[in-house]
Amino acid sequence: MSQEKLMILEMVSNGRITPEEAITLLKALEDDGGQTGSTPAGVRIDYDDGPREQALDEDEDDDHDEDEDEDDDWDASVDEQAASRHARRELHRHFRVEIPPIPKIPDIHIPPIPPIPPIPPVDVRVHMPHLGRIRRIFGGRRSRQPDPAFAAAMQRLGVEFSPRQLVELQNADIAPEDVEALLAVKRQEWSANDLVTLLVHEVEPQFILQLHELGMGDLPARKIAEFAIHDLEIETIRQALALNLPGLDADDLVEIAIHDVDLEAVRAAQQLGTVTPEQAVEMGVHGLSASYVQAMVAAGMPGLTVEKLIEMRIHGVAPQYIAALSEQAKTQLSADQVIEMKIHGVQPAEADWFREHLSKNFSFDELLEMRIHGVTPDYVERMRASGWVAAFDAATLVEMRIHGVQPEFVKGLLELGFEDLSPEDVVELGIHGVTLQQAQRARESYGEELTVEDLIEMAVEGRLEG
C-alpha cells in the first residue's frame, strides 16, 4: 500500500475527510499513475490551519434553486445515502488486506475409555434396611386399595388385617414372609395394629428376642417401634442397663439414643457419685465425652459432683484451664471457685501479673472480686502512671473501682498540690462524688493551705461549688 493511500486512510479515520472524498482522491491517484499532484477540485480537506475547499465550478451554487420543494430534498437525501454506501464499498476495495490462512491443528490422540464393569445385583432389603421408611416419605404414588393377591396371602397367615392396614403394609413393601417371621415372636396381647406398627417401622424379630433376653420382653409394641425409629441398638441398651442408673426406663433409653449419650462418660462420672438417667441425658445434650470426664475427675477438685461437672462443661471450663489456675494459686481450687472464675473471665496470666506487681500472697478470692468490679492490670498501670506512689492492696483497689475513682482524677489532684493523698482519702472523695473541677475551685478559693481533709469536710457539709 502506497504512502498516499495510507495518508488518505488516516484522514478518513480521523474524520478529516468523508469516504466520498477519499474515493475521489483515490481515483485521482489512479488517473495520475500514483503521482501526488494538486488536490482534485471539489474535495474538502482539513489542513492544520483550517478547512479549505476547491470548487469544481464556481457558478455551481448559483445553479441551485433556494425554493426547491420537499420532494427534491427527499430525493437528494436518498441519493446521498446511496452514494455514501457505494463510497464505503469502494474504500474497502482499495484497502483490502489479505488474511493469512489458519494453521492446521495437530491431531490429538485420546485413549479409549475402558468399559465400565457390570454392577452386581444388590438386595436392597439387606443393604437398605430403611427402604420402606424412605419410600413412605419420598415415594411416588401410594395404593388406595389392597392388591387381591397380597390380601389373600396375608389372610392365609391367619391374621385379620383391615383393608386400611393391608394398604399400609403394601405401601411399606412388607412381604408375607416378613409377617410370618414376626408372628413367630409375637406376644399374645399384640393386636393386628401392633403388628402393623412393628412391621412398618422395620422391627426385626431378632431384636424382639434380644429384648426378651435383657428382661424387656414386656414392652408394648409402640415403645419397641420407637426404639427402631430412633435407631436404638441392642448393644446400647445392654450398656445402659449395665450402668444400673436408678429408675432407668424405656423413655430414658430413647432420650439416650436421641442425644447420643456417651455411656463411657457416664461410667466415668459415676466415680463422683450416683448418676441419674436425667443427668446422663444432660451429659449427652452438652457433649460430655469420656476423655473430658476422666480428666476432670483426675484433677481431684474439692466439691466436684456430677451436677458441677455438667455446669463446668456448660461454661466452657477445660482441664487445661484448671491446671493453669491451680499452678498460679499454689493450692487446690474448688469446683465452685473454678466455675465462678470462668464465668467472670479470670485468666491465669492475669493472676500471675497481680502476684508479681501487687502481692505474692494474693488470694484467688481477692482476684475474683477485683475481676467482678473491673480492676484489671491496665487500671493498676494507669493508676501508677499518674505519679501516685501510695501502696494499695486488693481491697482498696476494689473500693476505688466501686466508687468510680479514675487514674485521671488522682493525677489531677496531685497536680493541684494534694501530694499527701492516701488510698483512704481517694476512696472518701469518690464516695462523696468530689469532681476535679470542684477541687480546683476550692484550691483557687482557699489557696495552698487547703488539705485533702478540708476538701472532704467541705464535700460532706455541701460547701463545694458545683
Side-chain angles (χ1 to χ4, degrees), residues 142-191:
R142 295 165 59 90
S143 302
R144 296 187 179 182
Q145 295 294 331
D147 181 72
F150 180 79
M154 291 298 182
Q155 190 174 12
R156 285 194 295 269
L157 295 175
V159 184
E160 295 295 333
F161 290 117
S162 67
R164 181 187 61 81
Q165 292 170 340
L166 288 171
V167 169
E168 191 171 358
L169 292 173
Q170 186 175 328
N171 288 331
D173 290 333
I174 303 300
E177 295 80 11
D178 301 327
V179 180
E180 187 175 9
L182 186 60
L183 289 175
V185 296
K186 172 184 178 295
R187 293 212 305 266
Q188 187 175 359
E189 66 271 17
W190 285 353
S191 64

Side-chain angles (χ1 to χ4, degrees), residues 364-400:
F364 266 73
D365 288 336
E366 291 174 326
L367 176 63
L368 181 61
E369 191 174 2
M370 287 196 301
R371 185 65 184 179
I372 291 173
H373 295 290
V375 179
T376 61
D378 177 69
Y379 179 80
V380 178
E381 289 284 3
R382 287 167 50 218
M383 194 64 75
R384 287 181 171 173
S386 67
W388 194 24
V389 295
F392 34 75
D393 55 13
T396 305
L397 286 169
V398 170
E399 276 197 87
M400 288 193 297

Side-chain angles (χ1 to χ4, degrees), residues 37-64:
S38 60
T39 304
V43 178
R44 181 179 182 274
I45 302 177
D46 291 334
Y47 294 93
D48 293 338
D49 57 348
R52 303 176 189 174
E53 184 172 349
Q54 296 182 3
L56 295 173
D57 187 358
E58 295 179 356
D59 297 332
E60 183 179 358
D61 292 337
D62 296 336
D63 295 338
H64 292 284

